[in-house]
Amino acid sequence: MKFLDRVYERARQRKARIVLAEGEDARVQEAGRRIEREGLGTVELLDRRTTHDARRTMISLLRSRRPDKFPTDTAASQALEHPLTLGACLVGVGDADVMLGGAMYTSAETIRAALWAVGTAPGIATVSGAFYMVRGEAVLTFTDCAVVPEPTPAQLADSALAAARDRRLIVGDEPVVALLSYSTKGSAGGPRVERVRRAMELLGARAPDFACDGELQGDAALVAEVAARKARGSAAAGRANVLVFPDLDSGNIAYKLVQRLGDWQAIGPILQGLARPVADLSRGATADDIVDTAAVAVLQAGR
C-alpha cells in the first residue's frame, strides 16, 4: 500500500469534522465533495454569509485568548466575519477537528487565524511548515519550507520538535532528525553554522525522545557511507528522515528541486507547531492537493 493510501485509510477511521473555510472557491467545493466520497470525514463549507450557533462561545474564546486584539465583544464578533477566523474558532471551541484555508487567502492570514483561535502546541512557540516528500516507499520530512524566512536557533529547534511529533502521527514511524548546514561537525565555520549548532544545543536540552543531530551536510544526513566518514558515531547521520533546513531559502529551493528533478511527490505545506490542526493551502492548490492535505491534517489531530 502506498504512503497516501495508508494516510487515507487511517484518516477514514477518525470520522473527522472538517471545515473548509473558503466555500465560494470551486476547487474547495470539489474537494469537499471528494473528501466525503472518500470517507475522510464530514465537511462544512464556510463563506462570508455563514453564521453559527457557537458564535457566543467563539467570541469568548477570542477574547480570552487574545484580549489585546479583542478587548470587546464587538471586536471579536467583527473578526468572526472572516471565514478563516470563524473556521479556526470552530476548531478552537471543539466543534470541528480540522480547518483548511489559504486557497483564496494568504498563508499569513491562515496562520494568524490559527494563532488567535488555537495557539501553539505545548512546548512550542513557533509555527512552521513541512513538506512530506514521497517517492515509492520513501518518505522524507522537509522543514521549514513555508513559514519562517530567517529562523533563530530557538525557532529551528521548535521546527525540529514539531516535525518529529507530526511524523509519528502522519507517517507512523520513528523520526530521525538532522539539522542541516553547509558544515558537518566542524568542517566549516561562520555565523550560519553557529546558528545551527546552537539550535542543536537547544534541541538537545529539551531531552527529545527521538534521534537527532547537527550540524550535518545533506549527504552526511542521508547516506550511510558518507556519515561513516564525516560524522562517525552520530545518532542521526546516514539515516535521517526529518531534514531541518537552516532557512526558508534553502528549504523552499530544496523541496522544489527534489520534486521537479527527482520526481518526488511533495505533499504540503503542512502547518506544524499548532495546538490543533489548521492547514494552509497554496493559492495554486488543486482539488486533489486540498483532499491530500485534509487527510494529513486529520492525522495531525492525533485521535
Side-chain angles (χ1 to χ4, degrees):
M1 185 181 291
K2 295 181 179 179
F3 170 67
L4 266 179
D5 293 333
R6 294 195 298 271
V7 168
Y8 274 46
E9 185 60 34
R10 292 167 57 216
R12 290 186 185 103
Q13 299 171 15
R14 307 296 173 88
K15 303 187 184 303
R17 300 161 298 171
I18 301 168
V19 172
L20 300 180
E22 296 146 317
E24 308 108 282
D25 188 286
R27 296 165 298 167
V28 174
Q29 293 167 7
E30 172 58 23
R33 291 189 288 270
R34 277 201 51 204
I35 287 168
E36 293 203 328
R37 284 201 306 270
E38 291 281 354
L40 299 176
T42 57
V43 172
E44 182 174 359
L45 291 172
L46 304 182
D47 59 37
R48 290 187 177 274
R49 300 181 301 275
T50 303
T51 59
H52 210 280
D53 293 342
R55 191 178 185 88
R56 179 72 254 169
T57 305
M58 290 188 280
I59 288 172
S60 297
L61 173 73
L62 288 175
R63 292 200 62 190
S64 63
R65 284 193 47 77
R66 293 302 303 270
D68 57 325
K69 294 287 186 183
F70 307 110
T72 66
D73 284 3
T74 299
S77 183
Q78 288 173 344
L80 290 170
E81 298 301 317
H82 197 300
L84 288 178
T85 308
L86 177 62
C89 282
L90 286 171
V91 176
V93 300
D95 282 358
D97 300 304
V98 172
M99 190 274 276
L100 283 79
M104 295 169 56
Y105 298 101
T106 66
S107 296
E109 291 172 293
T110 305
I111 293 169
R112 181 168 59 243
L115 289 173
W116 285 348
V118 303
T120 54
I124 294 177
T126 307
V127 177
S128 54
F131 279 85
Y132 286 78
M133 308 300 297
V134 182
R135 190 176 69 177
E137 293 302 309
V139 183
L140 296 175
T141 305
F142 281 21
T143 186
D144 174 13
C145 302
V147 179
V148 185
E150 197 72 23
T152 66
Q155 288 172 323
L156 284 173
D158 273 350
S159 182
L161 183 58
R165 289 178 178 177
D166 272 4
R167 186 172 178 98
R168 282 182 171 139
L169 295 172
I170 295 165
V171 184
D173 63 5
E174 277 302 300
V176 180
V177 177
L179 276 64
L180 299 184
S181 172
Y182 62 79
S183 170
T184 294
K185 298 299 184 181
S187 66
R192 300 180 71 81
V193 176
E194 288 301 324
R195 180 171 61 182
V196 175
R197 290 174 184 163
R198 178 58 180 155
M200 185 60 218
E201 291 174 2
L202 293 173
L203 181 61
R206 295 161 84 164
D209 61 346
F210 50 84
C212 56
D213 201 6
E215 84 275 13
L216 295 171
Q217 293 167 304
D219 56 355
L222 294 169
V223 182
E225 293 82 359
V226 177
R229 295 195 310 270
K230 293 186 174 181
R232 189 173 300 169
S234 170
R239 59 190 192 95
N241 55 28
V242 177
L243 303 183
V244 182
F245 291 89
D247 56 42
L248 188 55
D249 273 343
S250 58
N252 191 269
I253 291 167
Y255 101 76
K256 288 180 178 177
L257 286 174
V258 171
Q259 178 187 25
R260 301 301 180 184
L261 299 181
D263 198 29
W264 291 62
Q265 181 181 9
I267 301 169
I270 305 299
L271 290 184
Q272 54 190 24
L274 291 166
R276 300 190 67 185
V278 172
D280 178 38
L281 303 169
S282 164
R283 282 178 285 174
T286 66
D288 288 345
D289 295 330
I290 295 168
V291 176
D292 290 345
T293 302
V296 171
V298 166
L299 296 186
Q300 283 181 296
R303 291 189 297 276

